[in-house]
Amino acid sequence: ICFIYSFAMTMAVACRTMTMPNTLLLRAVLVLICLCTNAKKAAAVTANTTNNERPKGFLIGTGIYDITGPAAQINFMGYAKSEQTGHGIHQRLRARTFIMAERAVKLKNQYEINEEENQIEMIQRRDRPIEDETKQANRERSLLRWRWKERENNAVKDSPPLETLLADPTKAVCFVSIDTGMGSDLLNIRVLKKLEEILPVQGSSGKRLCHLENLSISGTHTHSAPAGFLQYATFQITSAGFSEETMEAFAEGIVQSVKRAYDNLLPGSIKTANGLLKDSNINRSPSSYLLNPKSERDEYSDEGDTDKNMLLLKFTTENGTDIGALNWFSVHGTSMNATNELISGDNKGYASYLMEKRHNKNGTLPGKGSFVAAFASTNLGDVSPNTDGPKCIDTGLPCDVRSSTCNGKMELCVASGPGKDMLDSTEIIGRNQFDHAVSLFERASAELGGGVDFRHSFIDMSNITVTLENGTTVKTCPPALGYSFAAGTTDGAGDFNFQQGSNSSNPFWNMASAFLSKPSPEQIRCHWPKPILLNVGKVQLPYAWEPHIVPISIFRVGNLFILSVPGEFTTMAGRRLRRAVRDMLIANRIAEPMITIAGLANSYTHYIVTFEEYQGQRYEAASTIFGPHTLEAYIQEFKRLTHDFLNGQPSTSDIAPRDLSKKQISIQPPVIVDTVGPFRKFGSMAIDAKESYARGENVFVSFRSANPRNNQRIEGTFLTVDKQDESGKWKTLYVDGDWCTKFYWKGGVGHFGESFAEITWDIPRDSPQGLYRICHHGTRKTIIGEATSSYFNAPDWLLSNTMGSKAIHLAWEAYKLGFRFSEKIRSFTGSMVGARYKDFSGCSRSFLVK
């Protein structure tokens, strides 16, 4: 402005419209004004330049997304029972993400802000997926009939706030708790590839905010979630190989939860609280725990032989809005036993459901609210939720303590409780965790402060040299599983009557296992006193049976330290790891460090026990695949990572595990066709509702349906419970993610035929009176156009008859062979046939709840 006026006056003088003295006077005044203005601006810049301290608090973001996966015909991960396959849904599974990052240092002046904005805009343009990648992603989602809504909406969403885009990936951590059995290195590989498509590069760092080194994906260890997502053969024996349906649902759901957390990043605080929760867990291998030194056990007399402390983080934005809670408590996800056929998040999933329902608005459906609550796993290796303890189911007497048998039989020794059945027990243990978390949440006051840091490393656990405290050196071993691995636990017994505590081998099983791989004398000595049943570390056909290279990481958020481990640490093993890291931090003048273990994270290597517990060779010890010094190796490596970040130096790492995607084998047949009987329609009623029910009763209805694998209905539902409002419109109150509903799919023979959706609603006692209905939503698959009238529904006597079953099996195998032969032909004729998938819906009659 000064320049323009000065120029104007110069032109005025030139045109002789102003006298020279007046002009000089005005120009002097304008110059003085400009100098004052610039001086004021310079002072502001200087003030900003000296204010380079990091703003108080953190950038925090939470996100949740559906990862339920295939609801039928896929084996559950956990109990290793081939007959335990999914038949529907009791609870939907979720991925819950928490991002914690340092806030960016205040910028010096507006010129730097403009420069950063221009740079970010260029990065965003460069980062957009090319057209071919977008088309490929759309084809994949269309093929599997999953409806992802988030990515399609990404293009029209507003850009994240500037502070989010300026967040430093080296000063942020991303923690994801998933309602699955465990983490998986292949799952992490898939997730990271997808994150590169949808997260922007942060400034000039070259990295996304969530990346390999600062991402931890930890399973809650429910035993009622689909299997087939680990890339190693040991875990695929009972699941009919690898399941792309499971993997894609898990990977996409995790990515979307991370994206939501990223989009929700806001300045805020993290407060902590912790306290003991009793009557919610027991040690399922107490005889092994007693092998640890008495002096060490006495140090934990207030908790006993299980960790009972719950550590909780409370996430609150600067404006005072609570957006999430994350806690760790030690208990297995085995309240639902091996007879369960419905997908479930088990006790931790139920606790999350209650916590989110409490904080989100009334009427918010599961997984749809802004408040996210994760009940994460920690060192739960020997910890059971079945607090009534193991008893002999034939006599009611206690089982043998050392072998967990009844009259020499493992399958007769079963732990249960505290409820009357597994659903009741799941509800009790889940509610105990919920109630305790609410109490901690309300009194959380200790605010985390300081920086965010992390260290990550891949380590070859099959070949680590460990220096013990006495100075001697020992080594870890190539993976091997002992005899007691096959015995299972009191939460779920194994087959063939193996017993826990076996320190001797059997000639027959030695001969049988030698066909797989015969252990060398060196391997036998390395694992001693474990008698090796499966020498899995040396088997490479059809691909690796167990991981050798595994990830470990340590996250620091203020004085909180999260240790991510790829397995199940027992109670005392976890205590020793936490103590080793804590002692090192205190020695380096870090006051009152809080340390938690994030279990079953990023990969899975079975169990980790103490050296003393290893000598007892119960299930957990037999499943410690890297030998008796596994725990010492982990402690040594975590101390190395701790030393690195304390000294501000990077951590060394072995090469990452291989991506075995192209080698994966699956013998799980696809869905062939869905049919209904003559003159019937999909979605029509097979069993309708009664005219009225009292509160507290349950409603049972059955619909003619189709295979739920046709469409997983991610972020959707297979059922709704609707109530009619005063205007006559129907409002959905409950879906298949609610605890009070159950969706059970009753299939036909094999992967084709007539099937039914059986829906149960346990009417809550506080339900308002009025008219209700139950609706079912599904997707059917056809082979030829709209043909739906042919059907095959074998009578029960034929299915239960051995010869009949064998005859059906042979016919089915012949049909599958012909089907596979015709795959290529049908791929060319598919367009002639028309759409092979059709959505359908149906509703029951309206009924009165009174």
Side-chain angles (χ1 to χ4, degrees):
I1 293 172
C2 292
F3 173 78
I4 292 172
Y5 279 128
S6 179
F7 177 77
M9 283 184 290
T10 302
M11 294 301 295
V13 170
C15 296
R16 300 183 183 276
T17 57
M18 292 186 68
T19 62
M20 182 63 70
N22 291 338
T23 301
L24 291 174
L25 178 62
L26 286 173
R27 290 182 68 179
V29 171
L30 284 171
V31 169
L32 182 62
I33 293 172
C34 289
L35 287 174
C36 292
T37 304
N38 287 333
K40 185 176 181 181
K41 183 183 292 185
V45 170
T46 302
N48 283 334
T49 302
T50 59
N51 187 17
N52 282 335
E53 294 183 0
R54 187 172 64 84
K56 183 181 178 182
F58 302 92
L59 272 183
I60 54 174
T62 60
I64 185 172
Y65 207 82
D66 188 351
I67 59 168
T68 301
Q73 298 177 327
I74 304 299
N75 181 245
F76 284 170
M77 182 69 206
Y79 290 114
K81 299 286 187 181
S82 59
E83 66 273 17
Q84 190 192 16
T85 58
H87 281 267
I89 297 174
H90 186 207
Q91 296 175 277
R92 280 196 172 262
L93 310 177
R94 313 282 178 186
R96 297 174 171 90
T97 296
F98 299 81
I99 298 179
M100 296 161 273
E102 287 187 15
R103 297 185 65 184
V105 175
K106 291 180 181 179
L107 298 176
K108 292 182 179 180
N109 53 54
Q110 188 64 37
Y111 299 108
E112 290 186 12
I113 293 177
N114 292 339
E115 185 178 349
E116 290 282 356
E117 287 177 336
N118 293 335
Q119 185 179 18
I120 290 168
E121 184 179 356
M122 292 174 62
I123 290 170
Q124 287 179 323
R125 289 175 182 172
R126 185 186 68 202
D127 241 29
R128 288 171 185 159
I130 60 174
E131 185 179 1
D132 290 343
E133 291 176 344
T134 304
K135 289 181 178 179
Q136 177 64 23
N138 289 336
R139 280 197 297 270
E140 291 174 358
R141 291 194 289 275
S142 175
L143 175 66
L144 296 171
R145 297 291 295 171
W146 301 333
R147 295 174 183 166
W148 313 108
K149 298 179 181 178
E150 289 298 304
R151 285 200 188 175
E152 285 75 4
N153 293 335
N154 282 343
V156 298
K157 285 185 177 179
D158 294 333
S159 297
L162 179 61
E163 188 169 4
T164 296
L165 294 170
L166 295 179
D168 187 346
T170 66
K171 298 177 181 178
V173 293
C174 305
F175 184 83
V176 187
S177 177
I178 54 176
D179 291 333
T180 67
M182 62 282 293
S184 156
D185 48 19
L186 182 57
L187 179 59
N188 276 46
I189 292 171
R190 294 280 188 96
V191 167
L192 289 167
K193 286 181 179 178
K194 289 173 178 286
L195 286 177
E196 290 181 357
E197 299 176 6
I198 65 172
L199 290 185
V201 172
Q202 298 294 121
S204 59
S205 68
K207 291 184 177 181
R208 274 74 181 171
L209 191 62
C210 300
H211 51 87
L212 170 66
E213 296 177 346
N214 75 344
L215 175 66
S216 177
I217 303 175
S218 170
T220 61
H221 207 37
T222 173
H223 284 41
S224 297
F229 61 98
L230 291 99
Q231 66 175 345
Y232 302 103
T234 302
F235 310 110
Q236 299 178 0
I237 294 173
T238 58
S239 65
F242 182 76
S243 172
E244 183 64 32
E245 296 172 55
T246 301
M247 172 59 81
E248 184 63 18
F250 287 1
E252 186 73 18
I254 292 169
V255 167
Q256 295 299 340
S257 75
V258 172
K259 182 62 166 61
R260 286 181 173 179
Y262 180 85
D263 290 341
N264 294 335
L265 279 170
L266 289 170
S269 65
I270 305 171
K271 295 180 180 179
T272 68
N274 67 85
L276 300 185
L277 171 59
K278 298 184 178 180
D279 301 322
S280 297
N281 62 18
I282 63 169
N283 194 305
R284 68 185 187 188
S285 287
S287 61
S288 289
Y289 181 83
L290 291 174
L291 296 175
N292 295 302
K294 184 178 184 302
S295 58
E296 185 179 31
R297 289 185 276 119
D298 288 345
E299 295 178 22
Y300 302 96
S301 58
D302 58 332
E303 294 185 76
D305 59 4
T306 62
D307 283 336
K308 296 178 175 62
N309 186 59
M310 176 184 284
L311 172 63
L312 179 137
L313 308 183
K314 177 181 180 179
F315 296 82
T316 307
T317 63
E318 274 188 338
N319 66 6
T321 302
D322 296 329
I323 62 171
L326 167 61
N327 70 70
W328 292 268
F329 177 72
S330 177
V331 68
H332 247 77
T334 51
S335 293
M336 301 295 291
N337 62 41
T339 66
N340 175 48
E341 295 178 327
L342 299 180
I343 288 176
S344 170
D346 212 278
N347 53 70
K348 287 185 177 294
Y350 180 57
S352 291
Y353 167 80
L354 291 176
M355 192 81 167
E356 288 162 356
K357 192 170 183 176
R358 178 182 187 270
H359 284 271
N360 290 314
K361 295 179 180 179
N362 290 335
T364 302
L365 296 176
K368 305 301 182 184
S370 58
F371 186 91
V372 179
F375 287 69
S377 67
T378 181
N379 55 312
L380 47 67
D382 53 356
V383 186
S384 170
N386 297 305
T387 54
D388 281 356
K391 294 182 176 62
C392 299
I393 58 176
D394 56 343
T395 65
L397 298 174
C399 307
D400 178 74
V401 175
R402 186 177 183 278
S403 64
S404 296
T405 59
C406 299
N407 296 321
K409 295 183 178 180
M410 179 75 182
E411 65 271 17
L412 295 179
C413 178
V414 178
S416 61
K420 61 181 182 294
D421 55 34
M422 61 181 175
L423 285 171
D424 193 32
S425 294
T426 302
E427 187 169 3
I428 292 171
I429 299 299
R431 186 169 289 278
N432 286 352
Q433 293 177 74
F434 160 71
D435 289 339
H436 192 58
V438 169
S439 174
L440 294 177
F441 190 88
E442 291 178 344
R443 60 185 174 88
S445 58
E447 186 170 340
L448 292 178
V452 178
D453 201 356
F454 57 85
R455 289 296 184 275
H456 172 280
S457 185
F458 288 112
I459 55 177
D460 185 355
M461 278 299 296
S462 67
N463 186 30
I464 291 182
T465 299
V466 182
T467 302
L468 302 178
E469 290 184 358
N470 61 10
T472 60
T473 58
V474 293
K475 297 195 71 172
T476 55
C477 319
L481 292 159
Y483 270 64
S484 295
F485 161 76
T489 72
T490 54
D491 289 337
D495 297 316
F496 303 108
N497 204 34
F498 284 89
Q499 294 184 9
Q500 293 203 63
S502 297
N503 278 320
S504 59
S505 59
N506 176 286
F508 171 78
W509 289 112
N510 284 346
M511 180 179 66
S513 64
F515 282 101
L516 182 66
S517 174
K518 184 177 181 180
S520 66
E522 292 78 13
Q523 178 79 327
I524 293 173
R525 284 194 298 270
C526 189
H527 280 275
W528 190 88
K530 177 198 295 179
I532 296 175
L533 176 65
L534 297 173
N535 190 36
V536 286
K538 298 296 183 180
V539 187
Q540 296 295 322
L541 290 176
Y543 34 81
W545 280 52
E546 292 283 352
H548 288 237
I549 298 174
V550 302
I552 60 170
S553 64
I554 181 168
F555 293 173
R556 178 184 185 178
V557 183
N559 64 325
L560 169 68
F561 299 85
I562 305 171
L563 315 180
S564 292
V565 299
E568 303 177 54
F569 278 59
T570 59
T571 299
M572 191 60 82
R575 289 170 175 174
R576 289 185 187 177
L577 175 60
R578 292 198 301 265
R579 166 168 284 188
V581 174
R582 180 184 294 109
D583 289 347
M584 195 170 180
L585 294 172
I586 292 175
N588 283 270
R589 299 182 180 181
I590 294 181
E592 300 181 354
M594 293 180 291
I595 302 168
T596 189
I597 294 173
L600 304 110
N602 303 323
S603 186
Y604 186 64
T605 61
H606 301 270
Y607 287 74
I608 299 91
V609 300
T610 68
F611 179 81
E612 294 84 355
E613 291 167 349
Y614 191 87
Q615 311 308 306
Q617 279 303 298
R618 281 179 62 84
Y619 173 80
E620 294 83 11
S623 303
T624 299
I625 61 174
F626 297 116
H629 301 291
T630 299
L631 174 60
E632 287 74 18
Y634 275 115
I635 290 175
Q636 174 179 283
E637 294 302 306
F638 270 103
K639 289 173 72 174
R640 173 175 64 86
L641 295 188
T642 304
H643 174 272
D644 290 342
F645 80 70
L646 286 173
N647 290 277
Q649 63 189 42
S651 295
T652 60
S653 178
D654 286 326
I655 60 171
R658 295 170 56 199
D659 181 346
L660 303 178
S661 296
K662 294 183 179 179
K663 294 187 175 183
Q664 296 301 297
I665 295 174
S666 176
I667 57 175
Q668 178 68 43
V671 178
I672 308 302
V673 65
D674 297 291
T675 61
V676 292
F679 313 111
R680 306 288 190 183
K681 291 184 177 181
F682 285 97
S684 63
M685 300 302 303
I687 300 176
D688 210 340
K690 297 188 297 185
E691 292 184 357
S692 65
Y693 298 86
R695 285 174 284 191
E697 292 186 329
N698 65 74
V699 182
F700 176 84
V701 293
S702 178
F703 295 85
R704 292 177 178 85
S705 188
N707 196 311
R709 287 172 62 196
N710 295 332
N711 185 341
Q712 296 179 7
R713 302 199 166 266
I714 297 297
E715 289 289 282
T717 181
F718 287 101
L719 69 90
T720 61
V721 178
D722 306 328
K723 183 180 183 296
Q724 193 174 59
D725 61 20
E726 295 178 354
S727 65
K729 295 181 179 179
W730 292 100
K731 180 182 179 181
T732 297
L733 299 184
Y734 302 103
V735 292
D736 61 13
D738 279 293
W739 180 259
C740 61
T741 65
K742 299 182 188 70
F743 162 65
Y744 186 88
W745 181 72
K746 188 175 182 180
V749 176
H751 291 64
F752 67 103
E754 189 176 20
S755 63
F756 300 89
E758 298 179 346
I759 296 172
T760 303
W761 177 40
D762 298 324
I763 306 174
R765 294 189 179 277
D766 60 351
S767 296
Q769 295 184 7
L771 285 178
Y772 290 78
R773 70 178 184 183
I774 295 177
C775 298
H776 168 52
H777 311 279
T779 302
R780 61 185 175 88
K781 184 176 183 179
T782 67
I783 292 181
I784 304 175
E786 296 297 311
T788 60
S789 61
S790 61
Y791 71 100
F792 177 71
N793 191 18
D796 291 339
W797 66 265
L798 182 60
L799 293 178
S800 62
N801 178 271
T802 303
M803 294 303 294
S805 296
K806 287 183 178 180
I808 292 173
H809 177 74
L810 290 173
W812 171 238
E813 291 299 322
Y815 177 84
K816 283 196 296 183
L817 183 63
F819 178 83
R820 289 169 181 168
F821 179 77
S822 64
E823 278 274 49
K824 291 189 178 295
I825 297 175
R826 286 185 294 104
S827 67
F828 288 109
T829 60
S831 59
M832 298 171 59
V833 175
R836 296 180 61 200
Y837 292 95
K838 297 289 184 181
D839 291 339
F840 64 87
S841 296
C843 294
S844 71
R845 71 172 75 169
S846 58
F847 54 88
L848 178 65
V849 171
K850 57 185 180 179

